[in-house]
């Protein structure tokens, strides 16, 4: 029972009895491209649309995004979710970052993605994304995976994938708490599962249209790291957390389809799209996550980083097409190349750009926006 | 062994029973309320409080009786003439007792009615009640930084005993157990202050790990100080619950670690109107002329913090700039672009007295004439 002699009592206070004010937690991506930052402000009343929210600013010199003598970075609110930690009418706000003159910062990949998703050819095709976010939980202070013996290793991979039991599933409380918190927040989480490497888990976000995919994934990542903070466990999106030995890496497979792919005859559209991706393999791989070369070795259910391949039901390929899609003649495909620490705005917009806007050499090549 | 286990279980049960009573809303059974009278002790930063039962509900400080306390126990009076009188000045809802119970911010007087030397509110109230000042409707936004320390060792919360965390960089507004230490305290404090009716504008994690910030304001005149002290009181009650020590020291750890300040944002009616940027520049010029006097009153130990490094300006030189976090005074880009707004005095330390700082800024920028000093506390 919560009493005023515990902090949880105050954290869970329902302020709507005494005030109309709400707390808005503004969230943005920091200078590394992967670190999430946030701070909160009081608003005079409940807000449901990002357009109603005020812009804000923060000290960019403390996040590697500005110089000390000109340090203001502006936050533009872009998406609202319910705050599962504060409850009530309090909100989480996904923002992107701009200079005071209104230019997106170099680390702001959302702005460019927005332009791509707004182009007519792309918008017409209603691109759907399903992002499979894998991640590893690490013990605090020693950064060794959760549940692994300190100074040693668990038994080899095999029993852990979707496993149950104290010797097979480590961290389920975090995973389940995160699942419900995301659903509460309004994040489109479609499922969770335990991964092949023990201490590694996955959740999926989607299907989301266009820019929403990035917003929902960033919000889900934020909620996850707040959960691990509560649980006293470190969250890692490192693509190859245990580089030596027979241990899987962590990816963020990106499932994709367009209206044409989902309609009759879509399978041919899918094959054309995959061909285009094959022609731009180098460009994509370069932007699919830092350190991905340690993960994409051709072993442990990955394709080798340098070679592009695709196949039906082939988990060793760069791109996998499901058996159902092949049988139905329409559906979607899975780009298995992105790593766990990828920027979802970058990856989703690149896939849309390459498959819908880019014309290979020979035809008029559209320069990207 | 059995005897010990049994008495522990009895104690647990007793505790739970007391807690249930603590949660109970007295309003169901009585018209009496509990008022917690709060004042500042002899060091100028230690807060003290005690409670009394009064007929309720109480809506304004004028309805409350004056009270008194033993000043010889707080370094504020000699033993043989120890009574110090408490004058109630501001009321807030009590987030700990809830219902109609209240927190009361007081200031301290001798039995003859003189403010005692540590009472900085009285002089501030005089400044804010002057016509030139009240006409200008001075608004304040106070950014209170503070450090959380582990109870037994006085080392920042989350820091390894006998060592240091990784260098500053990931902690500012950071999330995750390796980057944010003490968030439950910060979030509990945020809601408790909103409940109390304090205008708390926001919170954020600071550059040094274990350090946090909350903002109070915009608050008019003397209420800025009242609200900040109430927020500090609630914070220390929250850390008490958490078993963690609150520090307002301006430089809690030497070395490549940020200090803690209480940046004071300020504007007047003239600054908020068309052409306000000119008024702001004039005000900053006046502050430059009285830099020494201000700095002396901006918090004990500030010289350890204002080094010119770690986002501070050096203590001895006065500077100002737009969006410049290394200057004494910073003007936001918004204000520059719109030609009106407010500015931020980055000099005050986290342990500053907000009554002193807010009233001094008003005095210098609104009352101070270089050739005709009417100010009450100038030292040039």
């Amino acid at each position: 029972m919560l009493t005023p002699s515990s902090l949880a009592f105050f954290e869970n206070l329902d302020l709507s009895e005494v005030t109309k004010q709400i707390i808005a937690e503004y969230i943005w991506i920091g200078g590394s491209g992967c670190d999430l930052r946030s701070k909160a402000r009081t608003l005079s009343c409940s807000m449901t649309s990002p357009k109603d929210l005020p812009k804000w600013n923060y000290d960019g010199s403390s996040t590697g995004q500005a110089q000390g003598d000109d340090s203001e970075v502006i936050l533009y609110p872009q998406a609202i979710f319910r705050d599962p930690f504060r409850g009530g009418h309090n909100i989480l706000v996904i923002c992107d970052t701009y200079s005071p003159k209104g230019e997106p910062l170099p680390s702001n990949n959302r702005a460019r993605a927005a332009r791509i998703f707004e182009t007519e050819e792309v918008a017409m095709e209603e691109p759907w994304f399903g992002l499979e976010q894998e991640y590893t939980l690490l013990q605090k202070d020693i950064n060794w995976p959760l549940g692994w013996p300190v100074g040693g290793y668990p038994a080899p991979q095999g029993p852990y994938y979707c496993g149950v039991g104290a010797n097979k599933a480590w961290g389920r409380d975090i995973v389940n708490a995160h699942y419900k918190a995301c659903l509460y927040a309004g994040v489109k989480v479609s499922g969770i599962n335990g991964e092949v490497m023990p201490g590694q888990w996955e959740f999926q976000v989607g299907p989301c249209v266009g820019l929403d995919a990035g917003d929902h994934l960033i919000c889900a990542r934020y909620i996850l790291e707040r959960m691990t903070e509560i649980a006293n466990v470190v969250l890692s999106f490192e693509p190859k957390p245990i580089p030596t030995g027979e241990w899987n890496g962590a990816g963020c497979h990106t499932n994709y389809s367009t209206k044409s792919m989902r309609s009759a005859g879509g399978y041919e559209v899918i094959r054309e799209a995959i061909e285009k991706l094959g022609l731009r393999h180098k460009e994509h791989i370069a932007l699919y996550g830092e350190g991905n070369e340690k993960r994409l070795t051709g072993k442990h259910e990955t394709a080798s980083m340098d070679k592009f391949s695709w196949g039906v039901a082939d988990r060793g390929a760069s791109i996998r097409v499901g058996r159902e899609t092949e049988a139905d003649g329409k559906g979607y495909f899975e780009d298995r190349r992105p790593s766990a620490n990828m920027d979802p705005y970058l990856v989703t917009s690149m896939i849309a750009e390459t498959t819908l806007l880019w014309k290979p050499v020979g035809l008029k090549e559209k320069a990207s926006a | 062994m059995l005897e010990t286990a049994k008495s522990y279980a009895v104690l647990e049960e007793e505790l739970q029973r007391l807690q249930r009573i603590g949660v109970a809303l007295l309003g169901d059974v009585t018209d009496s309320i509990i008022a917690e009278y709060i004042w500042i002790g002899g060091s100028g930063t230690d807060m003290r409080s005690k409670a009394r039962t009064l007929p309720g509900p109480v809506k304004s400080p004028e309805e409350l009786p004056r009270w008194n306390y033993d000043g010889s126990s707080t370094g504020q009076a000699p033993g043989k003439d120890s009574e110090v009188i408490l004058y109630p000045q501001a009321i807030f809802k009590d987030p700990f007792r809830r219902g109609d119970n209240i927190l009361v911010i007081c200031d301290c007087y001798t039995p003859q009615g003189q403010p005692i030397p540590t009472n900085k509110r009285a002089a501030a109230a005089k400044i804010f009640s002057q016509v030139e000042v009240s006409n200008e409707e001075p608004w304040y936004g106070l950014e209170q930084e503070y450090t959380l320390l582990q109870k037994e060792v006085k080392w920042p919360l989350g820091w390894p005993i006998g060592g240091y965390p990784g260098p500053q960089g990931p902690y500012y507004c950071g999330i995750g157990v390796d980057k944010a230490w003490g968030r439950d305290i910060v979030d509990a404090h945020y809601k408790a202050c909103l409940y109390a009716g304090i205008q708390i504008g926001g919170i954020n994690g600071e550059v040094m790990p274990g350090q946090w910030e909350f903002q109070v304001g915009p608050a008019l005149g003397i209420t800025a100080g009242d609200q900040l002290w109430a927020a500090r009181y609630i914070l220390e009650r929250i850390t008490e619950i958490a078993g963690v020590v609150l520090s307002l020291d301006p430089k809690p750890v030497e070395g490549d670690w940020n200090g803690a300040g209480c940046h004071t944002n300020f504007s007047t009616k003239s600054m908020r109107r068309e052409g306000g940027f000119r008024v702001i520049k004039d005000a900053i010029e006046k502050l430059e002329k009285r830099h020494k006097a201000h700095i002396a009153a901006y918090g004990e130990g500030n010289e350890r913090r204002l080094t010119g490094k770690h986002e501070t300006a050096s203590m001895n030189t006065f500077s100002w700039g737009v969006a410049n976090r290394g200057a004494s005074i910073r003007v936001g880009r918004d204000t520059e672009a719109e030609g009106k707004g407010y500015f931020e005095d980055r000099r005050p330390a986290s342990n500053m007295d907000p009554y002193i700082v807010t009233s001094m800024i008003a005095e210098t920028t609104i009352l101070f004439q270089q050739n005709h000093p009417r100010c009450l506390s100038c030292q040039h």
Side-chain angles (χ1 to χ4, degrees), chain B residues 289-310:
Chain B
K289 294 194 170 71
R290 294 194 75 211
H291 176 66
K292 269 206 170 63
H294 276 246
I295 269 288
Y298 272 14
E300 284 292 314
N302 212 2
E303 64 282 357
R304 289 180 280 129
R305 167 183 159 258
L306 293 181
T307 58
K309 292 162 66 181
H310 303 118

Side-chain angles (χ1 to χ4, degrees), chain A residues 4-5 10-11 13 21 23 37-42 59 62 68 70-72 86 100 225-226 229 232-233, chain B residues 19 96 169-170 172-173 176-177 179 183-184 187 190-191 194 200-203 207 241 311 323 325 330 333:
Chain A
S5 50
F10 297 98
E11 289 179 281
L13 259 182
Q21 293 168 312
I23 302 172
R37 310 270 181 158
S38 77
K39 57 173 180 161
R41 71 186 293 183
T42 311
D59 172 14
S62 290
D70 188 8
S71 59
E72 264 179 43
R86 295 196 175 102
E225 193 151 29
R226 288 286 306 272
E229 184 186 307
N232 243 11
V233 155
Chain B
Q19 285 172 349
F96 306 98
Y172 171 74
C173 300
V177 74
K179 284 156 282 180
R183 187 192 300 277
D184 49 356
D187 277 347
Y190 197 168
K191 278 196 173 180
L194 283 175
I200 178 165
I203 57 109
V207 176
I241 291 172
E311 297 170 275
R325 280 179 158 81
R330 168 173 154 265
R333 289 219 171 276

Side-chain angles (χ1 to χ4, degrees), chain B residues 122-141:
Chain B
K126 280 212 185 70
I127 289 173
F128 284 119
S129 60
Q130 294 207 31
V131 158
E132 298 99 317
V133 175
S134 59
N135 278 349
E136 279 288 357
E137 288 169 37
W139 289 2
Y140 298 90

Side-chain angles (χ1 to χ4, degrees), chain B residues 6-233:
Chain B
K6 189 169 124 195
S7 58
Y8 185 74
V10 167
L11 188 60
E12 266 291 302
E13 232 180 76
E14 198 42 35
L15 252 174
Q16 285 188 13
R17 188 182 68 84
L18 288 171
Q19 285 172 349
R20 276 196 290 277
I21 294 174
V23 174
L25 295 175
L26 294 171
D28 298 339
V29 295
T30 174
D31 283 334
S32 299
I33 62 149
I34 302 174
E36 188 85 29
Y37 280 52
I38 299 162
W39 70 96
I40 300 162
S43 79
T45 47
D46 58 312
M47 305 197 73
R48 310 277 180 151
S49 76
K50 55 173 179 160
R52 69 188 294 185
T53 313
L54 292 170
V58 173
K59 296 294 171 210
S60 87
E62 289 79 43
E63 299 171 47
L64 289 166
R66 291 178 181 169
W67 205 8
N68 64 77
Y69 69 92
D70 171 14
S72 68
S73 290
T74 60
Q76 291 170 304
K80 50 187 169 49
D81 188 9
S82 61
E83 257 181 47
V84 176
I85 317 300
L86 291 167
Y87 290 25
Q89 299 291 2
I91 288 181
F92 298 93
K93 285 167 70 66
D94 184 338
F96 306 98
R97 297 194 176 100
R98 289 141 50 247
D100 286 322
N101 303 306
I102 52 177
L103 304 178
V104 187
I105 300 296
C106 306
D107 61 346
C108 306
Y109 295 77
T110 65
Q112 293 75 36
Q114 296 302 310
I116 65 174
T118 48
N119 175 354
K120 306 303 180 188
R121 191 188 190 281
K126 280 212 185 70
I127 289 173
F128 284 119
S129 60
Q130 294 207 31
V131 158
E132 298 99 317
V133 175
S134 59
N135 278 349
E136 279 288 357
E137 288 169 37
W139 289 2
Y140 298 90
L142 306 172
E143 305 173 34
Q144 177 74 68
E145 291 174 346
Y146 60 93
T147 314
L148 299 171
L149 306 177
Q150 303 173 44
K151 192 170 90 153
E152 272 82 23
V153 298
K154 297 279 174 63
W155 197 231
L157 184 68
W159 292 39
I161 309 284
Y164 294 84
Q168 296 183 152
Y171 310 111
Y172 171 74
C173 300
I175 60 171
V177 74
D178 46 346
K179 284 156 282 180
W181 304 329
R183 187 192 300 277
D184 49 356
I185 290 168
V186 181
D187 277 347
H189 174 250
Y190 197 168
K191 278 196 173 180
C193 284
L194 283 175
Y195 178 93
I198 295 171
Q199 271 160 284
I200 178 165
I203 57 109
N204 63 270
E206 270 302 328
V207 176
M208 177 176 123
Q211 207 173 80
W212 296 83
E213 171 182 312
F214 66 87
Q215 306 98 33
V216 165
L220 178 62
I222 196 80
T223 69
D226 293 337
Q227 293 198 45
L228 190 69
W229 280 113
R232 284 176 174 180
Y233 176 80

Side-chain angles (χ1 to χ4, degrees), chain B residues 220-250:
Chain B
L220 178 62
I222 196 80
T223 69
D226 293 337
Q227 293 198 45
L228 190 69
W229 280 113
R232 284 176 174 180
Y233 176 80
I234 292 174
L235 180 57
E236 196 150 30
R237 288 283 305 271
I238 296 275
T239 54
E240 182 185 306
I241 291 172
V244 156
V245 171
L246 172 67
S247 170
L248 294 183
D249 189 290

